[in-house]
Amino acid sequence: MASTTTDRRQGLNAGAAVKVPVRAATTANITLAAEQTIDGVALVTNDRALVKDQTTASQNGIYRVATGNWTRDYDFDGTFDVVEGTFVHVNQGTTNGESMWRVATSGTIVPGTTSLSFERALVSDSSSISFTASGSGAVSISVQNALRV
């Protein structure tokens, strides 16, 4: 578990901006209990999961998987743990693997009370942006490859 500190003067947690990665992220509403498969990933006890698609949006957040009821993980269970723009990296999954998500909810956030929404974060690098030169017969290549020419 990552170490976090709180700036008592400003009331900010050092771990509010970028969270420790989760193993998988939901693609639909789920039951927050028992080991289960989410986005093609068989989650087991103590895996971290980003729950972002609950019908009751106040249930969204980062959870620790358990054989019984899931609990919010320690870095996502308090008022100073999450703010608008907090990033979460998802390691695995058919749909959400290797993606970044950000908290889109503004204002004061109280996990378990505030309705939370997440949106896919736009993170790009030169290998994922395409470039098409002008002229007939031009083909699209990545910016990374264009810079190598």
Side-chain angles (χ1 to χ4, degrees), residues 95-109:
T95 301
N96 295 318
E98 295 304 327
S99 65
M100 289 285 285
W101 292 82
R102 68 178 292 279
V103 173
T105 304
S106 60
T108 302
I109 296 173

Side-chain angles (χ1 to χ4, degrees), residues 34-116:
E35 296 177 340
Q36 56 188 290
T37 299
I38 294 177
D39 194 18
V41 180
L43 297 177
V44 296
T45 299
N46 289 323
D47 280 342
R48 287 167 52 89
L50 173 60
V51 175
K52 59 178 183 51
D53 300 292
Q54 293 301 93
T55 303
T56 304
S58 62
Q59 293 177 341
N60 288 334
I62 297 174
Y63 285 82
R64 180 75 52 178
V65 175
T67 55
N69 290 329
W70 291 13
T71 57
R72 290 180 188 278
D73 213 350
Y74 297 116
D75 65 342
F76 212 95
D77 67 349
T79 304
F80 299 127
D81 291 342
V82 58
V83 296
E84 180 182 11
T86 296
F87 283 107
V88 182
H89 181 264
V90 179
N91 285 335
Q92 299 175 14
T94 304
T95 301
N96 295 318
E98 295 304 327
S99 65
M100 289 285 285
W101 292 82
R102 68 178 292 279
V103 173
T105 304
S106 60
T108 302
I109 296 173
V110 179
T113 302
T114 306
S115 291
L116 284 178

Side-chain angles (χ1 to χ4, degrees), residues 3 24 95-96 114 117 125 136-137:
S3 172
T95 301
N96 295 318
T114 306
S117 63
D125 60 27
S136 64

